[in-house]
Amino acid sequence: MKLTYLSGVAVAALALSACEGFPLDFLSVADEATVVETPEVAVKPVKPTAPTLVDTQAYLDEAEARLGEMSEYAARVFWNQATNITFDTNWLAAKAGAEYTVLAVEYANGTKQFEGLLLPDDMARKIQILRSGITIPAPSTAGAAEELSQITTGLDATYSTGTFNYNGEDLTLDQLSTIIETSRDPAELQAVWEGWRTVSPPMKDNYARMVEIANQGANELGFDNLADMWLSNYDMPPEDMRVEVNRLWGQVEPLYEELHCYVRAELNDEYGDGVQPASGPIRADLLGNMWAQQWSGIYPLVAPPAADPGYDLTERLEAQGYDAIKMIETGEAFFSSLGFDPLPDTFWERSQITRPRDREVVCHASAWDLDDQDDVRIKMCTEVNSEDFYTVHHELGHNYYQRAYKDQSFLYKSGANDGFHEAIGDFIGLSITPDYLKAIGLIDEVPPAEADLGLLMTTALDKIAFLPFAVTVDSWRWGVLDGTTPPEQYNQSWWETRTKYQGIVAPGPRPDNAFDPGAKYHIPGNTPYLRYFLSYVMQFQFHKAACEQAGWEGPLHRCSIYGNEEVGANFRAMMEMGASQPWPDALEAFTGTRQMDGSAIIEYFDPLMTYLEEENAGRTCGW
Ligand code: X8Z
Ligand code: ZN
């Protein structure tokens, strides 16, 4: 048996995870079987009679049992709030959230008694998970958890019920987003883009107060600040993880710069110098998405000539009479084709699939696991279009992962790291190729090889454009959480970070009270965002490994693993591990490599990169 000396550092995360639905997102970290130095944190010395292994095991058993029980209760309260936002459901959610945080903080603090002990790996890992498993930790001061929980519930509700009155009509985010995606009128785009950002200024003071309290919570658990606590969930010291993120970003940045350069030139052609100059950053409202995070909405403006794939997925779904249920059934059938069990009846009975007409809900898509067993559900406001077709697969990926690791013990019911959780469904989405669409009858003709550039361009507009956005969100937030960025600089820092990584700017000057980060769900929702960056890297690694296992010999973007039970079994084996092992072990189990690596993305988009470089020849790229 390997043994680990327990460090005093708290590591892992018990998250109020909006995208995986429920609050508990224990992520693992322990350095496997190494002697970890006790850091300089103010903790109680080990009692004269140090706890035995039996004491430690008893402590962990009790923690898992009590947290497990309370998590189901809290999940059901949160589900009620998210699918019916009222004064009372907010009140109940704030109360349940505070109770859960108090319990989790108690168990996290209690682990200090085991510091310095030589423990079996499994126990050391669980203790570390327990210690840092809280995304927004409260200090143990009386009333702190309650105040924190009221703030977080309020931020979430403010975002989810936000509307903007445009041309005399109160429009919701989905309606405003459709305008941003389809309108080509710069004045209208700017009005709607600015309009949605009027929902967030009232959040700013509460957000700043939340940061203050949560940092006290992080300090109490032995972290310098909450950013370090979040970054401690990756089986390596936080500073190493920052280096890792920079390394991965460096691998894919050249591809983004070519895409940016090409898209800017096309927008300049479309709108002229007065709206989009041929040099400098791109105007954020012209990119077909409310946050300029995925750009496929402007594919028609930037499509390479003579590379038309010959179909538009949204049109095909409509033409074939798909509704939201049929889209989900199609996603389920993909997982079934890989050998996964069908979704339980309760999934269909209890999920929220479309926006209810009669009440306020959190529309941002999420997947839930209510009882840590079979009560899995999605909560979406699904519309019949290509974007939501992919989102359905994304959400189902969370649910299938939750079911795969349901036999793990409570603290291991989680992704190998949070990026894995986000990558499962997107990995399946990469297999939605023309061959697959033909196989399920959505298209009649598979486009020829000449259409590859068009196919790759659509995917790149979503996947490559997203990478610097994901880096932006948490770079900004780490600065806020570690105190580098004080509240009076929140908005300025947001735009500096946006321009630095994405090369975009706001369409006009921002008002003094603007709090633009608050207009992106994951900021008021307190969902860490690094997970998506990691997911976008790893999903291509998964795809490449899967296609190799399937013996695929063509270009990666034409490979679909639909119907391949052997690949399905291999993937499921990784999913079943949950968080029971350090993430490099899980990655290795499926891909044979222990490192996250951007080279699979580079390989996938290689033909597009060649095209972009040719098109950009003679242009001055960058901003
Ligand atoms: O939030 C989500 C999912 C739920 S975890 C719908 N995503 C990020 C976003 O919308 O900003 C998926 C892609 C990135
Ligand atoms: Zn997700």
Side-chain angles (χ1 to χ4, degrees):
M1 185 198 304
K2 287 184 190 167
L3 297 176
T4 301
Y5 276 108
L6 204 58
S7 124
V9 169
V11 248
L14 175 144
L16 260 158
S17 157
C19 284
E20 253 181 79
F22 170 59
L24 304 195
D25 183 11
F26 283 96
L27 301 170
S28 80
V29 229
D31 258 10
E32 200 192 4
T34 43
V35 179
V36 188
E37 283 176 23
T38 306
E40 295 168 28
V41 285
V43 291
K44 283 191 225 135
V46 175
K47 285 183 283 177
T49 48
T52 63
L53 282 189
V54 174
D55 295 335
T56 316
Q57 188 62 55
Y59 184 84
L60 288 172
D61 289 347
E62 184 194 297
E64 293 200 281
R66 287 195 61 199
L67 288 169
E69 195 183 323
M70 198 191 260
S71 76
E72 181 174 354
Y73 155 76
R76 296 193 188 284
V77 174
F78 286 132
W79 175 267
N80 270 294
Q81 187 260 359
T83 57
N84 183 16
I85 304 174
T86 68
F87 174 84
D88 291 328
T89 58
N90 283 341
W91 189 93
L92 287 163
K95 185 167 189 300
E99 284 166 7
Y100 192 84
T101 301
V102 167
L103 190 70
V105 166
E106 206 176 296
Y107 279 112
N109 274 319
T111 61
K112 290 173 184 169
Q113 66 187 294
F114 306 111
E115 267 158 32
L117 295 184
L118 184 62
L119 293 175
D121 269 4
D122 182 59
M123 283 190 200
R125 184 170 181 78
K126 282 190 176 170
I127 282 182
Q128 290 198 310
I129 288 172
L130 202 49
R131 292 192 69 165
S132 59
I134 311 171
T135 300
I136 302 292
S140 45
T141 334
E146 289 73 14
E147 183 183 357
L148 200 53
S149 191
Q150 271 162 24
I151 293 175
T152 54
T153 309
L155 288 171
D156 190 58
T158 304
Y159 181 94
S160 298
T161 57
T163 56
F164 172 61
N165 191 288
Y166 183 59
N167 290 340
E169 226 191 308
D170 280 336
L171 300 187
T172 60
L173 175 58
D174 351 336
Q175 294 166 315
L176 297 166
S177 293
T178 304
I179 300 176
I180 294 281
E181 194 172 325
T182 52
S183 170
R184 303 291 179 240
D185 169 358
E188 176 168 70
L189 288 168
Q190 179 166 0
V192 167
W193 187 97
E194 289 173 349
W196 173 244
R197 282 154 182 79
T198 60
V199 302
S200 48
M203 298 174 188
K204 187 181 150 189
D205 290 347
N206 282 332
Y207 192 83
R209 175 69 184 142
M210 179 196 78
V211 169
E212 190 179 17
I213 304 173
N215 263 320
Q216 289 164 8
N219 293 156
E220 194 177 290
L221 290 165
F223 294 95
D224 285 350
N225 56 65
L226 189 54
D228 268 14
M229 187 162 161
W230 285 14
L231 279 159
S232 295
N233 292 309
Y234 298 97
D235 294 300
M236 65 179 85
E239 53 282 10
D240 290 9
M241 190 57 193
R242 288 180 192 259
V243 173
E244 189 63 357
V245 173
N246 280 334
R247 181 183 70 80
L248 294 169
W249 169 236
Q251 283 185 292
V252 292
E253 194 181 1
L255 180 49
Y256 177 68
E257 283 192 12
E258 293 295 335
L259 183 69
H260 178 281
C261 193
Y262 173 83
V263 166
R264 181 178 60 194
E266 299 296 312
L267 292 175
N268 176 249
D269 274 357
E270 169 79 16
Y271 292 110
D273 291 343
V275 174
Q276 178 56 60
S279 62
I282 300 178
R283 238 179 82 160
D285 56 335
L286 304 181
L287 288 161
N289 173 278
M290 187 57 91
W291 308 276
Q293 66 178 69
Q294 278 136 333
W295 302 350
S296 62
I298 56 157
Y299 175 74
L301 297 186
V302 304
D308 181 11
Y311 67 89
D312 171 289
L313 189 50
T314 300
E315 276 167 24
R316 297 309 306 152
L317 291 164
E318 280 167 1
Q320 301 255 337
Y322 272 59
D323 59 11
I325 302 269
K326 178 124 194 246
M327 285 170 39
I328 300 169
E329 284 170 350
T330 307
E332 179 190 33
F334 199 123
F335 280 91
S336 297
S337 87
L338 300 178
F340 287 81
D341 289 339
L343 293 165
D345 290 346
T346 51
F347 171 92
W348 300 101
E349 290 156 16
R350 298 173 190 168
S351 288
Q352 177 201 292
I353 289 171
T354 49
R355 186 194 267 277
R357 287 159 180 271
D358 57 346
R359 58 186 194 267
E360 302 271 21
V361 299
V362 180
C363 260
H364 190 87
S366 55
W368 296 58
D369 180 4
L370 281 283
D371 64 352
D372 282 336
Q373 285 301 317
D374 293 305
D375 193 352
V376 292
R377 314 174 190 176
I378 60 170
K379 179 189 62 55
M380 282 186 63
C381 297
T382 319
E383 290 173 32
V384 178
N385 59 38
S386 167
E387 184 184 345
D388 276 0
F389 191 64
Y390 282 96
T391 304
V392 160
H393 290 75
H394 175 95
E395 297 308 333
L396 290 181
H398 287 306
N399 281 156
Y400 281 99
Y401 203 4
Q402 288 155 346
R403 283 217 302 176
Y405 59 59
K406 72 174 184 174
D407 294 329
Q408 293 287 348
S409 63
F410 179 74
L411 291 170
Y412 293 156
K413 285 185 209 248
S414 184
N417 68 38
D418 53 5
F420 280 68
H421 231 300
E422 300 304 334
I424 307 293
D426 283 14
F427 154 66
I428 300 301
L430 290 176
S431 276
I432 301 178
T433 57
D435 277 339
Y436 166 69
L437 293 174
K438 177 147 192 259
I440 63 165
L442 260 171
I443 59 172
D444 302 324
E445 297 277 333
V446 171
E450 294 79 67
D452 278 4
L453 274 183
L455 293 167
L456 283 168
M457 181 66 82
T458 324
T459 313
L461 289 170
D462 282 341
K463 303 287 183 182
I464 302 303
F466 181 77
L467 294 161
F469 175 72
V471 173
T472 296
V473 174
D474 270 4
S475 296
W476 174 81
R477 199 156 33 181
W478 295 334
V480 167
L481 298 179
D482 72 16
T484 315
T485 309
E488 56 279 11
Q489 284 169 22
Y490 279 175
N491 215 52
Q492 184 197 335
S493 162
W494 175 253
W495 282 105
E496 280 166 11
T497 317
R498 294 271 258 171
T499 305
K500 176 178 170 192
Y501 290 108
Q502 290 187 274
I504 62 169
V505 284
R510 304 301 297 136
D512 285 346
N513 69 347
F515 179 50
D516 296 334
K520 171 66 194 165
Y521 176 73
H522 301 67
I523 300 302
N526 283 309
T527 307
Y529 215 81
L530 178 61
R531 60 186 59 187
Y532 302 107
F533 177 72
L534 303 179
S535 153
Y536 274 52
V537 171
M538 284 193 291
Q539 61 190 253
F540 285 91
Q541 287 182 264
F542 292 158
H543 182 69
K544 183 173 156 133
C547 295
E548 273 165 16
Q549 288 167 28
W552 176 257
E553 284 176 353
L556 274 180
H557 69 279
R558 290 278 188 157
C559 164
S560 176
I561 57 154
Y562 179 62
N564 193 320
E565 291 202 18
E566 195 188 321
V567 172
N570 295 342
F571 200 61
R572 203 155 50 251
M574 179 192 87
M575 290 165 71
E576 284 168 2
M577 293 165 74
S580 65
Q581 306 295 326
W583 66 260
D585 289 10
L587 188 62
E588 188 175 25
F590 186 66
T591 66
T593 166
R594 299 181 63 80
Q595 271 220 320
M596 291 186 270
D597 182 13
S599 61
I601 303 190
I602 302 299
E603 181 181 337
Y604 186 103
F605 290 104
D606 183 58
L608 182 72
M609 181 68 166
T610 307
Y611 172 75
L612 293 174
E613 281 170 343
E614 280 163 18
E615 290 293 306
N616 291 333
R619 290 179 183 146
T620 308
C621 293
W623 50 88

